[in-house]
Structures are given as C-alpha cells and as structure tokens.
Amino acid sequence: MTRSELTGGLPVTRGRWWYDVPVDARAGMRVPARVYADASLWEQISRDRSMDQLLNVATLPGVAERVYAMPDVHEGYGFPVGGVAAMDARSGVISPGGVGYDINCGVRLLATDLPLARAGDRIADVVHDLSRSIPSGAGRGGRLSLSPRELDRVLNEGCRFLVERGEATADDLEVTEAHGSLPRADAGAVSQRAKTRGRDQLGTIGSGNHFVEVQVVDDVSDVAAAAVYGLQRDQLVVLIHTGSRGLGHQVCTDYVRLMDQVMPKYGITLPDRELACAPLRSAEGQRYFGAMCAAANFAFANRQVITHRVREVFRRAFRDRGGVRVVYDVAHNMAKLERHGGRELCVHRKGATRAFGPGNPETPPRYRAAGQPVFIPGSMGTASWVLAGTDENLDLSFGSTCHGAGRAMSRHAAKKRQAGSEVRRDLEERGIVVRCGSVADLAEEAPYAYKDVERVVAVVHAAGLARKVARLRPIGVVKG
Amino acid sequence: MRVRAADFPALAAEAGRALAAIELPGPIPAAAGPERQIVLRAADLGALLVDWLNELIYLAETERWVATAFTPRPAAEHELRVSARGVRVDPAPSRVKAATHHGLVVRRVAGGLEAEVVLDV
C-alpha cells in the first residue's frame, strides 16, 4: 500500500518502510531515489540536507537503477552518509566522495569464550589495558612503524602480509570481507603524502566516532543464526570501529583534487564539487580505484593489528581462557565491483554496509546457513546489533544496509548541550567503564547526538535489508 | 570555517589562523623557529584555499608543526606564496582531518572576500 505526498516540495510515494522519489522530481536526475525509513526517521532525515544530496547523486553519469538511503542516513560531504549508488562499470563514474574520506572505515566483531559472570570484576582492568595498548586520537601513531617496503606490502596485500608477521591467522582472513585483501590494490597510486600520514598509524583507533568497545551479548533474536556466528547470551565480545586513518584521508583529498581538475575533460558538470568524479574506465578512475583498494587494505590491516592487541590484553587478563576469535569484519566506506542483474556495477557504499545473504558466494562458507554477519553499532553507551544479510536484499538495495544509528545532531550542537565530563559520569553511572583521550570531545558522541538505534534496526529488519540476530550491550568503551 | 579579508592572500592567512585556533587548545602561542615557504597553485581560488588548508593539516599531522603566523608574498593569479612560522607540538594536534570541497564558497563582499570551507573533523 503506497500513497503519494509532497514533502519539502518533493513528490514522494510512501511505502510501508520506504519513501520513493521519482526520476523526474528534479532536473538532471537519471534514476529515482529510495529512502528506507519509518515516519519518525523520515521526519528526522528531512531536517538536514541528506535528501538533497541523495538527489544530487542520482545525477551522476552512469548511475544505475536507483539510488538508496539507509535508515541512518544523514548529511555528509557531497554524498550523504548512509547512501548507496551503483554506477555502470563500463559507462559510469567513480567518485572518491562516494566512498568518503575514511576509506574502508568498518566494523569488526571479536568473540571471547568468556561469560560476563566470569569476567565482570576484571572489566575495568581490561578496558584500561586496551586503552594503553591501542593508541587513540587523531594523528596519534602506534607501536608499529613500517619501512616503506613494508607499508607498500600492507597496501598491496592487506591482512595477508600480517599472517607472515604472526599478527593474523588464516582463520581471521576467512571471516574478513574480501579476506582482508583487495586484489586490485595499487600502492603505486598512493601518494607519498598519504604514506607519510599512514606509516606509523597501523594499530590505532583514531578520533571522532571510532572506538573499541567491550560488550556483552544482551539478547538473542535468532538463536540459530547466533549459533552459526558462535554467539550466545551473556558472552563477552569486543567491537572495533575504525578505518584507514590519515592515509585514507589523504588518498581521498588527493583524488577529489585530481578529479575536480579533470572533470571538464570528460564533460562532467556537478551540482556539488565534493561529488568530483571521473569515468571508472579512465586513467584517473582506474588510478583512484587502485589507490582506494590499497587504502582499504590498510584499513583491514589496521583492524587486524588492533585485534592482535586485543588478544594480547585478554591473554594477560584471563590467561588460557582469554581466547579471542574474529566473528566478521565488514567495510562501510567502499566502492566495489559487483554483478547485479547481469551487469557489472561499481557499487559505492558510503556509511553503508554490504549485507549479502546465505546464497551469495562472497558470504564465508561457515556462515552460509545464516548469511553474512552485519554489525550496526549504536551510539556510545547504547546497544549495538548483529544482523544477518538476506538474499532478497540484492533486489532491495544492491545488498546493502546501514552502518550505525546515524547522527541526529552536529558535533558542535552536541557539545553545547552537555559537557563531556557529564556524559562520562552518565555512562559510568550505568556501569560503563570509559577511557578516552579527550573528555571534552566525549560530548560529541553522546547518545542524544544520534538517532535511536532500536528504531533504525527495526526498519532494517522489517524492510528485509538484514535480519536481527543479537543485541550487544556496552560495558567498556575506549574512545578515539 | 567562515573567514573574511581584504584580498585572497589575507583571506588565506586568516584561514590559517582560524585553523590554528581549532588545532591548538587555549591561546595561540607565539610563533618560533625558522620560516617555511609554501607555494601552491590551483585552478581557482576555492580550490587554492582548500589546498592551502590541506597543506597546513598535513604539516600539523606529519611534522607536528602548527603554522600560526603568515606573511603573504606577491604571487601570480590562482597562486599562493606564503612565508609561515609556527610552533612545534607533541602529540600531533590533528583534530582536523581534511578541508573539503563540500559547500565551498569564495565570494566577493563589501570590503573584500568571504570564504566558507567545511572541515572534516
């Protein structure tokens, strides 16, 4: 059952869990747009410029079928965060802004064999040790400093290089998207500046909304799928959220600049310069794709080195009971070549997660009974969710779902509402141990700055984008 | 970031000071040490301003050096030549990760130029 209405001057057809904007809603649009949301989220989404940005994306050359916004969508730079757009691989463009500055920002879930009851009195020590072992804060370097040759190997090989160094296992790679190593990576397309920014940042969280959280499985919605993922109620888990750090930012900066310069050569005009792009098949497009894949490999390796540190911490705290297993690692800022409907498409997911179902060959064999694991972190101090990808989603959003709760308030506005020290006190009163580089900046990530993750996940589940499996409750936060 | 100045070199200097104010907590310390010469060229003033801020962000993150004092030098059209002095800091103060082209505006206003640049933090 659908009905049409005008929202902010746009003709919108409303479905049960989505809002459609037709292709003729605005001059220049090449495809229609769809936003997955309920009425409450739609009202929040309508307050910022994310719809305007989504319709701008619908004007890009070669854009295929439909552009999508996930329930957590919010305004970004050029592309909205929570946006999905697929470009024809032969005739379409690739846009660094459609991937984002933090290339392969993503989430990795680690599972322990510890029930909360056996670890509860050690949580504060564990969180403290995690904060000492994993550097956080923008620009902060880590304990690893790579030679130029080693850094090039990380960029070209990703996590495979870390297996040689004893910082990853074959098992870890099997449950990492693309095995933590994108084959089209080209370290030669990454500037020296980007390499300089990244050379000592492997194994670091960074700043902003990045974190390492100790959590407990709070509720299981799908017992069978949870069992496939090795999750059960009251189990201690660790969620890592970070990306390619300064290296990825510099790659994006370099290629937005390059594409801004070459667009006239290809006759491309855009409504927003931050959407700067070039044909995927052009020399510039191919070079960016190689550099982006290299930065993505760096991000996979970053989360892997952090995993290694987490393992060290848990071994120190719990000795032979401190084993830590990777459940899955998935990117949410990436452009990937995929086949959909018989066409090869370059699917841009910015602040959106791949969510493939049981039947997809890219779903790890051990998860084929359930589907690819999907993680939707809540805001700091609220629940995060584990979901399972669905096969039907290939027809709903190119097999994509959302990546978090989504900001509802700017960082500046969040800091004006409450002091960081008060946010910290609120969290600690709820039994959450907090370690952070800057207490003042904690307010930027306060729960009130985000949409309600329960509502976002309910829409994802109801719309068929992914299926609820388990809810995770934070008990310790190391904040970037 | 929203800045105003009489001409583009002064606008770049003002943007540099604004960036330093974001990067450094508290009052900006007096510049010390040798001058650094920075020369940049771009297709237009907007791109030049973004390049300028990204140069300062890069120096802050990789060299732990925050530029705080700026002396513009004569330059060609769409070129920026600045002698900069600054302060060394540890750890690197890279609260700002990038200057973006998103919503980028450099426009003429009464008394000179005004610019708006969105920073990724």
Side-chain angles (χ1 to χ4, degrees):
Chain A
M1 190 72 179
T2 61
R3 61 190 174 89
S4 295
E5 54 191 58
L6 276 173
T7 304
L10 284 175
V12 175
T13 302
R14 181 177 163 185
R16 186 160 165 75
W17 300 109
W18 63 83
Y19 292 77
D20 280 346
V21 181
V23 67
D24 58 357
R26 186 197 281 179
M29 283 175 66
R30 298 169 194 257
V31 294
R34 171 171 290 181
V35 180
Y36 287 100
D38 65 7
S40 172
L41 289 169
W42 174 254
E43 193 275 324
Q44 280 186 294
I45 291 164
S46 302
R47 282 187 220 151
D48 70 16
R49 291 192 56 232
S50 47
M51 273 309 293
D52 191 39
Q53 293 185 330
L54 186 68
L55 302 192
N56 286 344
V57 173
T59 71
L60 290 176
V63 63
E65 296 182 24
R66 195 191 291 267
V67 292
Y68 295 97
M70 299 294 115
D72 61 336
V73 70
H74 58 96
E75 187 176 338
Y77 309 128
F79 269 64
V81 179
V84 178
M87 313 298 171
D88 187 278
R90 289 196 299 180
S91 61
V93 295
I94 187 166
S95 171
V99 172
Y101 279 87
D102 192 359
I103 295 166
N104 187 8
C105 186
V107 181
R108 173 178 289 218
L109 181 67
L110 310 177
T112 75
D113 295 326
L114 292 161
L116 177 63
R118 288 192 66 117
D121 60 344
R122 305 294 309 277
I123 295 304
D125 293 340
V126 166
V127 174
H128 182 67
D129 198 4
L130 287 171
S131 72
R132 286 168 54 90
S133 304
I134 306 166
S136 62
R140 285 286 305 279
R143 284 156 43 185
L144 265 180
S145 192
L146 301 171
S147 70
R149 186 173 166 277
E150 289 172 323
L151 179 55
D152 278 358
R153 287 199 63 191
V154 170
L155 294 170
N156 284 329
E157 300 172 39
C159 292
R160 271 195 290 124
F161 174 61
L162 298 176
V163 176
E164 276 181 33
R165 292 168 58 100
E167 288 159 334
T169 67
D171 204 53
D172 295 341
L173 270 55
E174 196 187 318
V175 285
T176 300
E177 179 177 342
H179 304 288
S181 178
L182 294 170
R184 298 278 296 273
D186 179 5
V190 176
S191 70
Q192 191 52 51
R193 286 189 159 222
K195 291 175 182 176
T196 301
R197 285 180 79 168
R199 69 187 168 199
D200 66 348
Q201 290 187 331
L202 210 59
T204 64
I205 307 174
S207 62
N209 61 353
H210 295 160
F211 60 77
V212 174
E213 279 193 0
V214 180
Q215 306 178 328
V216 62
V217 179
D218 186 46
D219 189 41
V220 175
S221 317
D222 184 332
V223 175
V228 170
Y229 298 159
L231 298 174
Q232 56 187 305
R233 196 179 162 90
D234 290 332
Q235 181 182 4
L236 216 58
V237 297
V238 177
L239 197 66
I240 299 166
H241 176 214
T242 187
S244 51
R245 309 283 284 103
L247 184 141
H249 269 78
Q250 190 64 44
V251 168
C252 185
T253 295
D254 291 341
Y255 281 92
V256 167
R257 185 178 194 277
L258 174 67
M259 293 190 181
D260 187 57
Q261 290 169 349
V262 302
M263 279 192 301
K265 181 169 80 176
Y266 296 110
I268 299 170
T269 54
L270 298 173
D272 183 339
R273 283 180 88 165
E274 192 68 19
L275 295 174
C277 57
L280 175 62
R281 287 197 156 185
S282 68
E284 295 87 358
Q286 288 295 295
R287 197 161 171 79
Y288 170 67
F289 191 68
M292 183 212 67
C293 289
N297 283 348
F298 184 87
F300 283 130
N302 188 29
R303 293 192 287 274
Q304 181 63 48
V305 172
I306 291 172
T307 299
H308 186 66
R309 302 277 177 256
V310 171
R311 284 177 168 146
E312 291 174 338
V313 167
F314 273 74
R315 259 197 305 275
R316 279 197 289 273
F318 303 107
R319 298 174 188 263
D320 60 340
R321 289 189 57 83
V324 171
R325 172 178 58 80
V326 179
V327 177
Y328 198 61
D329 180 307
V330 66
H332 54 232
N333 280 357
M334 188 89 95
K336 294 190 91 170
L337 291 172
E338 297 170 4
R339 291 199 76 80
H340 293 272
R343 293 165 77 185
E344 188 177 37
L345 302 175
C346 183
V347 183
H348 293 60
R349 296 186 180 92
K350 179 178 178 182
T353 300
R354 200 185 68 166
F356 288 168
N360 196 293
E362 290 202 48
T363 297
R366 72 179 68 173
Y367 296 148
R368 295 268 167 86
Q372 175 218 303
V374 171
F375 310 123
I376 302 183
S379 57
M380 183 176 59
T382 62
S384 297
W385 277 87
V386 179
L387 298 94
T390 65
D391 288 329
E392 70 194 269
N393 188 1
L394 287 180
D395 297 326
L396 297 175
S397 61
F398 301 113
S400 311
T401 189
C402 65
H403 83 313
R407 286 202 87 88
M409 186 184 281
S410 73
R411 293 173 193 277
H412 183 68
K415 280 178 100 163
K416 280 175 73 172
R417 177 158 157 183
Q418 198 175 21
S421 56
E422 292 174 52
V423 174
R424 179 177 191 150
R425 194 188 59 221
D426 287 350
L427 292 170
E428 289 180 341
E429 281 176 359
R430 288 164 46 204
I432 301 170
V433 181
V434 180
R435 292 288 181 276
C436 58
S438 165
V439 174
D441 291 345
L442 211 54
E444 295 180 353
E445 300 303 320
Y448 54 74
Y450 284 81
K451 298 186 180 84
D452 176 6
V453 69
E454 302 293 334
R455 184 177 286 277
V456 166
V457 169
V459 171
V460 166
H461 180 88
L465 302 177
R467 207 175 66 250
K468 285 182 185 180
V469 174
R471 191 176 63 193
L472 313 174
R473 174 172 58 85
I475 54 176
V477 178
V478 178
K479 197 69 203 63
Chain B
M1 176 189 291
R2 189 174 292 119
V3 286
R4 275 186 176 207
D7 54 28
F8 186 77
L11 190 78
E14 188 63 17
R17 283 188 286 273
L19 182 66
I22 297 169
E23 297 273 38
L24 300 170
I28 296 177
E35 278 189 341
R36 186 188 291 261
Q37 307 300 321
I38 300 173
V39 180
L40 299 165
R41 291 176 196 86
D44 56 68
L45 293 182
L48 191 54
L49 187 62
V50 169
D51 284 355
W52 163 245
L53 289 169
N54 279 324
E55 179 75 16
L56 298 179
I57 291 164
Y58 174 77
L59 291 169
E61 184 170 315
T62 60
E63 300 193 17
R64 301 178 181 202
W65 181 81
V66 178
T68 58
F70 307 92
T71 308
R73 305 289 182 203
E77 190 182 15
H78 299 166
E79 182 186 65
L80 184 64
R81 290 177 179 269
V82 177
S83 298
R85 296 179 72 209
V87 292
R88 294 219 168 265
V89 289
D90 190 25
S94 323
R95 176 166 167 70
V96 181
K97 298 170 189 167
T100 77
H101 288 78
H102 177 65
L104 174 65
V105 177
V106 179
R107 61 179 158 240
R108 300 215 167 273
V109 293
L113 291 172
E114 182 180 70
E116 288 177 19
V117 187
V118 175
L119 303 175
D120 184 32
V121 295

